[in-house]
Amino acid sequence: LSMVASVPRTETTSSAASDDWSPDSWTKAIAKQMPVYEDPEELAAAVREMERVAPLVFAGEVRSLHEKLARVSQGQGFVLMGGDCAESFKEFHVNHIRDTFRVIMQMALVMTFGSAMPVVKIGRMAGQFAKPRSEPNEVIDGVSLPSYRGDNVNREEFTPEARRNDPNLMVKAYYQSAQTLNILRAFSTGGFADISRLHAWNLDFVEDTAEGSRYRKLASKVDESLRFMKAIGIDTSSPEFTSVDFYTAHECLLLPYEQALTRQDSTTGKWYDCSSHMLWVGERTRDLDGAHLEFTRGIGNPLGVKVSDKCTPDELIRIINTMNPQNIPGKLSIIVRMGAEKLRKNLPELIRAVQREGKAVVWISDPVHGNTRKTENGYKTRDFENVRAELRAFFDVHDEMGSHPGGVHIEMTGEDVTECTGGVSSVTDESLKERYNTACDPRLNGSQALELAFLIAERMRLRTGLPPL
């Protein structure tokens, strides 16, 4: 990738861009959920500094992910996206990254076995700082201050100094993201993702489940397969079994940050947002005339867009035409967040419209965002059974429509937190307070996330015609 110190308006050969697009053309559109910076020159200085830094990801890596997602869009794979609701500076630690990476790898192993197809592994990491807010300001005891929008915008403490929107925090977020990516690359290629080690960790999980449970049965099948491979002479210590391709994604929300890290590939002339391999646009910022769709339509990265029951079939087709006008397979994922009941009612019409127009998309379920509630003692939480119900509805609808359920997108952590109720970890409303550590929304803990992977694997096993466990 060629390094550019500025982002001039230029013609581009990007598959999604036209000659009226440039990395800063979003500034002429309506930008929702954007912080207001009190000093424009301070913002400009931070952007200039980031325009000179090295890209976090490279065009070749982005194209590799795109190729895998293209196969998923044709029914030949499954996407697993997972990670924190929002990254923070104070929780940054190699152990935190390691634990989340480990659980994602454990989940992928189970799902690969269950589906008999490749699983594309994407972490909500190395850039998932900014969060949309319902209100621009927060009021406590009559005092009004800007809402906390994530560590790359301002700080969580309720003081005027902390809540000031500081553009220099974007620079700090960049350097933490660089460290995170360095750690992830080391884990994914240095033997930490060894298939035998992942399976051993999964066996630790099933030890906590009931004797004869379907989790134990599936784990025993994986164990038999590994023993068989070793028995016939397959070297499970080779790179094919000890390293993985791992990608990153985050919500495209803070556009000055994204613009500053956008680079033009010197070999193809395409523009790539080098802050992440993949970016998605949220439910609150996907307006057709909005700045976020204007920015994303011009970059070569794979994209996602979150849709709720508010999205109509006509609106979805217009979004697809904007974000992927050439209908390139793997370019666009539709991330569905509705809740089980609304999903069963609304998703069929969306799928029918996509099928009628011949659009190539990856359908991904986000079963957590539509199932948030607040307990009597004030904790935001999600019930595992409701998450499971939405996933079941997602698979049921795709079975009915003859379409491919292409993936799952969840907020989770590898740590033993108590933020979502239910599941094998038996978290209750009363026990939420024990380890409620999230800086934003509640996350599935490691056991709940792995349990979800076993349930998905079981469902995918039936879809592929394999006998039930």
Side-chain angles (χ1 to χ4, degrees):
L1 289 170
S2 61
M3 301 296 292
V4 288
S6 59
V7 281
R9 180 175 296 276
T10 180
E11 291 193 358
T12 174
T13 58
S14 171
S15 61
S18 58
D19 58 8
D20 63 344
W21 184 91
S22 69
D24 65 349
S25 60
W26 66 267
T27 59
K28 299 178 177 63
I30 301 169
K32 289 186 175 180
Q33 293 290 334
M34 288 287 291
V36 176
Y37 295 102
E38 60 188 33
D39 186 345
E41 180 49 41
E42 186 182 24
L43 171 62
V47 169
R48 285 195 299 270
E49 180 176 351
M50 293 182 57
E51 288 172 344
R52 293 190 293 267
V53 300
L56 292 172
V57 303
F58 295 91
E61 297 172 333
V62 174
R63 286 192 286 267
S64 171
L65 173 59
H66 193 164
E67 290 168 2
K68 288 179 170 61
L69 293 173
R71 289 192 284 272
V72 175
S73 73
Q74 305 301 315
Q76 300 170 23
F78 193 83
V79 176
L80 170 60
M81 299 179 70
D84 272 325
C85 165
E87 294 173 283
S88 70
F89 296 150
K90 67 181 179 181
E91 287 190 2
F92 175 72
H93 195 280
V94 64
N95 292 349
H96 180 73
I97 299 167
R98 177 202 62 201
D99 291 344
T100 299
F101 176 82
R102 185 196 70 223
V103 172
I104 292 175
M105 292 300 102
Q106 290 177 257
M107 295 173 70
L109 175 61
V110 171
M111 291 159 63
T112 300
F113 184 85
S115 64
M117 63 175 60
V119 172
V120 182
K121 295 161 279 291
I122 305 173
R124 289 173 52 111
M125 299 176 177
Q128 183 55 26
F129 290 94
K131 295 295 291 183
R133 302 283 79 177
S134 300
E135 299 292 338
N137 294 300
E138 181 180 1
V139 180
I140 297 180
D141 296 332
V143 177
S144 178
L145 293 175
S147 294
Y148 170 63
R149 291 182 175 271
D151 276 11
N152 61 348
V153 177
N154 54 11
R155 292 183 285 127
E156 191 174 8
E157 297 81 17
F158 194 76
T159 66
E161 296 77 18
R163 291 299 178 90
R164 174 182 177 268
N165 297 327
D166 182 356
N168 295 300
L169 294 176
M170 291 191 293
V171 182
K172 186 175 181 179
Y174 164 84
Y175 284 107
Q176 180 170 308
S177 297
Q179 293 183 70
T180 300
L181 276 161
N182 190 45
I183 294 166
L184 290 171
R185 287 181 172 122
F187 284 149
S188 61
T189 60
F192 189 79
D194 184 300
I195 192 170
S196 298
R197 178 179 293 171
L198 296 174
H199 179 58
W201 287 327
N202 283 348
L203 292 178
D204 290 340
F205 165 78
V206 300
E207 281 298 316
D208 294 331
T209 66
E211 192 71 38
S213 71
R214 58 181 176 271
Y215 309 117
R216 291 185 178 230
K217 290 178 181 178
L218 182 55
S220 69
K221 293 285 187 183
V222 177
D223 194 45
E224 290 173 9
S225 298
L226 288 173
R227 291 175 184 271
F228 174 74
M229 286 191 290
K230 291 178 180 178
I232 62 175
I234 295 177
D235 181 10
T236 57
S237 65
S238 65
E240 289 80 5
F241 293 94
T242 59
S243 62
V244 296
D245 291 330
F246 190 85
Y247 304 95
T248 61
H250 64 255
E251 181 175 358
C252 177
L253 191 60
L254 189 57
L255 291 175
Y257 178 84
E258 307 301 343
Q259 174 193 330
L261 288 172
T262 298
R263 307 283 189 266
Q264 192 169 24
D265 181 14
S266 58
T267 59
T268 65
K270 294 182 180 180
W271 290 95
Y272 290 92
D273 183 345
C274 297
S275 71
S276 186
H277 298 105
M278 178 180 180
L279 297 104
W280 74 84
V281 177
E283 166 78 7
R284 302 182 193 186
T285 53
R286 59 172 175 76
D287 295 26
L288 287 162
D289 59 352
H292 294 81
L293 256 59
E294 169 58 27
F295 174 78
T296 54
R297 75 179 181 91
I299 57 176
N301 307 60
L303 303 172
V305 60
K306 288 205 174 185
V307 299
S308 71
D309 59 296
K310 299 174 185 175
C311 185
T312 66
D314 178 65
E315 183 183 15
L316 180 61
I317 295 302
R318 293 170 67 192
I319 290 171
I320 294 172
N321 288 338
T322 299
M323 301 181 77
N324 186 20
Q326 296 186 16
N327 200 27
I328 301 171
K331 174 68 176 179
L332 184 60
S333 297
I334 310 300
I335 306 171
V336 182
R337 43 161 294 183
M338 296 184 184
E341 185 176 341
K342 291 180 179 178
L343 186 145
R344 290 185 184 277
K345 177 182 178 182
N346 294 282
L347 183 56
E349 286 301 316
L350 299 181
I351 295 175
R352 191 171 292 114
V354 168
Q355 291 173 330
R356 182 178 63 248
E357 299 294 327
K359 300 299 182 181
V361 303
V362 176
W363 292 102
I364 296 177
S365 170
D366 171 358
V368 295
H369 274 96
N371 293 298
T372 306
R373 65 178 178 88
K374 184 167 283 191
T375 66
E376 291 183 359
N377 49 5
Y379 286 97
K380 285 173 65 176
T381 190
R382 290 152 175 165
D383 298 326
F384 184 84
E385 186 53 44
N386 291 339
V387 172
R388 179 181 176 181
E390 179 161 352
L391 265 175
R392 184 186 298 118
F394 179 75
F395 278 96
D396 286 347
V397 169
H398 282 287
D399 283 347
E400 295 165 5
M401 301 299 296
S403 47
H404 178 58
V408 63
H409 177 128
I410 56 174
E411 291 182 349
M412 47 79 67
T413 176
E415 299 176 348
D416 185 25
V417 298
T418 54
E419 297 171 1
C420 294
T421 59
V424 293
S425 56
S426 302
V427 180
T428 64
D429 282 11
E430 291 70 30
S431 62
L432 285 172
K433 63 180 180 294
E434 294 177 5
R435 293 178 300 280
Y436 196 93
N437 302 332
T438 183
C440 193
D441 290 334
R443 304 160 294 178
L444 298 177
N445 62 33
S447 294
Q448 291 167 328
L450 194 51
E451 181 177 5
L452 202 65
F454 274 94
L455 296 169
I456 293 170
E458 189 176 41
R459 183 61 185 260
M460 294 173 70
R461 186 176 175 87
L462 296 176
R463 279 186 59 86
T464 54
L466 296 170
L469 296 172

